Amino acid sequence: MSNVYINDTTLRDGEQAAGIVFNAAEKVAIASLMDIIGIPELEVGIPAMGGSEAEAITGIVNSGLKASLLGWNRAVISDINASIACGLKRVHIAVPISDIQIKAKFKGKTAVVWERLKSTLNFALDKGLFVSVGAEDASRADESFLIEFAQYAQDLGASRFRFCDTVGILSPLTTTQKVKKLVKHLTIPIEMHTHNDFGLATANALAGIQAGATSVNTTVNGLGERAGNAALEEIVMALKQLYKVNLSINTSRLRELSQLIIQASGVKLPPWKAIVGDNIFAHESGIHAHGVLKDPQTYEPFAPEEIGWERRLVVGKHSGRSLLINLLSQHGINLDYEESQKILDSVRHLSVQMKRNLTTEELLDLVTNRRISHGIV
Ligand SMILES: CC(=O)SCCNC(=O)CCNC(=O)[C@H](O)C(C)(C)COP(=O)(O)OP(=O)(O)OC[C@H]1O[C@@H](n2cnc3c(N)ncnc32)[C@H](O)[C@@H]1OP(=O)(O)O
Ligand SMILES: O=C(O)CCC(=O)C(=O)O
């Protein structure tokens, strides 16, 4: 697993999420930050859309990034020409290969699958391009047909093969079974493209990697069609922390990248979003705060600095005395046992009334007011 490769598609599948639009300046800014962070390949968009999308892609191509840049194409010659017109040297050609897709797109004619693959792949190769071939809806395709298709793409000269779980119906076990079979028949790298319809995109992408795939198509914050794609930050941190695979990606800027996507997409994340959510290093509960104050590892899987974020200890309904005593001592207020218990009771009461935790200022006010009313200060 030491050679896992990230090909991020935030600027293609990510932007396909309903209602999301990145303008040209945002697309260039996102690509640039990903490049600085060390993402080796970026799927930058769909040149065949023309207009502002083609302009944005050309803008990225002309930005002098180190990352390899890939354009997404249907198996249509004019799409490939649009990619060339944007200055791209790498193209991805997507071909629908499940019965459902072939029926909807090619009137059920499998001959069209072979013909489209051959004509567009040969065309792109003749133009000197690097070609990645994608099997759309591979997870629902007939398995022999999928293998035949992948081998044909390899024989024709494709440099990489993308296995797509287009509607996110795989589990880690079925992913493993399918990818293992594919690996036996291919020598070119296999890329995982997984969707999150059942909340399994990251798990399935990692299962694919364990089964022998070497590339992952990710998106920042898991943005993408419907429930989204495998999240870049989850894949990178799971590989780093759980699989001990170092990808030479500067993880300390992952939170910053996530924030850039929130800003550009206008879509906020739930605070509990894995890796980059606001609450990933926030502790309120008494037992957790007590543990973290002694050793952060008790309730944190890795240090917040690893992703460029910080630890927060907040006082609220579930807090205990250790946290109160600790926080207040930082403000020169020392509590004995009895007083801390009384203040904790008030904190609980107030939290329930306000249906939230208390800010530090509110906690300090509470203590001061209590002390005044008891003639302590
Ligand atoms: C699983 C995925 O995420 S695939 C990527 C999806 N992304 C997008 O669709 C976003 C960008 N798309 C677009 O801008 C437009 O759909 C375009 C420019 C590609 C095409 O626009 P239109 O010509 O108006 O076609 P429309 O979107 O209505 O239909 C898609 C056409 O592409 C065909 N098609 C779909 N996928 C493929 C493919 N992989 N290879 C070849 N043809 C395909 C469809 O059969 C349909 O053809 P038809 O018009 O002959 O029926
Ligand atoms: O690239 C492809 O082949 C299709 C990618 C895709 O977005 C999908 O199948 O969900």
Side-chain angles (χ1 to χ4, degrees):
M1 281 183 81
S2 56
N3 56 346
V4 183
Y5 185 80
I6 302 283
N7 170 18
D8 188 90
T9 183
T10 305
L11 296 172
R12 199 276 298 174
D13 206 326
E15 200 188 2
Q16 279 177 214
I20 304 301
V21 179
F22 298 137
N23 63 33
E26 286 164 342
K27 283 191 89 133
V28 172
I30 292 165
S32 301
L33 183 54
M34 286 193 187
D35 186 51
I36 290 168
I37 286 175
I39 313 297
E41 185 163 348
L42 310 175
E43 188 166 58
V44 287
I46 305 176
M49 289 170 67
S52 59
E53 172 74 350
E55 277 169 31
I57 294 169
T58 308
I60 297 171
V61 169
N62 293 333
S63 298
L65 307 184
K66 293 184 297 297
S68 299
L69 305 176
L70 185 76
W72 189 93
N73 304 270
R74 293 170 300 170
V76 173
I77 300 283
S78 58
D79 281 28
I80 311 289
N81 273 326
S83 283
I84 294 169
C86 288
L88 288 160
K89 302 282 183 267
R90 289 185 168 226
V91 288
H92 176 80
I93 302 175
V95 187
I97 70 150
S98 67
D99 289 349
I100 301 168
Q101 299 287 348
I102 294 170
K103 192 169 168 213
K105 288 168 185 160
F106 298 153
K107 300 189 175 118
K109 295 180 187 156
T110 50
V112 180
V113 170
W114 306 117
E115 186 279 314
R116 289 290 185 100
L117 174 63
K118 187 176 176 193
S119 58
T120 49
L121 185 43
N122 281 339
F123 181 79
L125 290 173
D126 283 349
K127 299 286 181 190
L129 302 172
F130 167 102
V131 186
S132 152
V133 167
E136 189 190 349
D137 214 8
S139 53
R140 290 193 296 183
D142 175 85
E143 285 193 359
S144 324
F145 188 71
L146 167 66
I147 288 166
E148 220 183 317
F149 174 82
Q151 278 181 319
Y152 190 49
Q154 176 174 280
D155 293 346
L156 286 170
S159 291
R160 190 168 63 212
F161 184 78
R162 180 181 292 175
F163 176 93
C164 302
D165 183 19
T166 300
V167 290
I169 47 83
L170 292 181
S171 68
L173 185 62
T174 51
T175 304
T176 304
Q177 289 162 347
K178 284 178 190 289
V179 175
K180 269 191 175 165
K181 280 186 199 153
L182 203 51
V183 166
K184 279 194 200 140
H185 293 89
L186 295 186
T187 53
I188 56 175
I190 297 171
E191 179 166 277
M192 297 305 298
H193 178 96
T194 55
H195 275 277
N196 207 29
D197 297 71
F198 290 92
L200 292 170
T202 297
N204 289 342
L206 291 169
I209 295 290
Q210 278 190 293
T214 52
S215 178
V216 199
N217 216 198
T218 58
T219 61
V220 178
N221 296 345
L223 202 65
E225 289 278 0
R226 307 180 308 282
N229 294 68
L232 171 79
E233 62 278 6
E234 293 171 17
I235 295 286
V236 169
M237 290 309 287
L239 285 169
K240 183 176 179 186
Q241 293 293 333
L242 311 180
Y243 296 79
K244 306 301 171 203
V245 175
N246 193 346
L247 298 177
S248 306
I249 287 171
N250 181 358
T251 63
S252 73
R253 297 189 74 175
L254 283 175
R255 165 92 188 170
E256 179 188 348
L257 180 61
S258 164
Q259 291 293 309
L260 178 62
I261 298 302
I262 290 172
Q263 199 186 10
S265 65
V267 177
K268 291 204 178 107
L269 292 182
W272 55 86
K273 166 70 186 66
I275 310 296
V276 289
D278 281 352
N279 277 1
I280 297 310
F281 297 97
H283 310 281
E284 174 190 312
S285 301
I287 294 164
H288 287 231
H290 170 269
V292 166
L293 286 168
K294 293 222 155 61
D295 177 359
Q297 288 185 72
T298 50
Y299 291 104
E300 290 175 0
F302 56 87
E305 297 76 31
E306 288 222 28
I307 57 136
W309 194 210
E310 57 195 23
R311 179 172 307 117
R312 276 190 309 131
L313 294 165
V314 299
V315 171
K317 181 186 169 191
H318 294 91
S319 296
R321 288 182 307 104
S322 314
L323 176 58
L324 272 187
I325 291 167
N326 179 283
L327 284 182
L328 289 170
S329 74
Q330 290 175 31
H331 292 87
I333 300 172
N334 297 312
L335 303 178
D336 60 21
Y337 180 89
E338 198 192 339
E339 194 181 9
S340 65
Q341 190 57 54
K342 291 268 175 348
I343 288 168
L344 190 60
D345 292 343
S346 305
V347 165
R348 292 219 165 107
H349 180 71
L350 260 178
S351 291
V352 171
Q353 272 189 334
M354 300 191 298
K355 285 182 74 66
R356 61 168 173 81
N357 61 270
L358 273 66
T359 62
T360 306
E361 290 69 34
E362 287 167 341
L363 176 65
L364 291 172
D365 279 354
L366 191 145
V367 177
T368 311
N369 293 337
R370 187 181 178 279
R371 287 188 162 186
I372 290 169
S373 68
H374 285 75
I376 301 171
V377 285

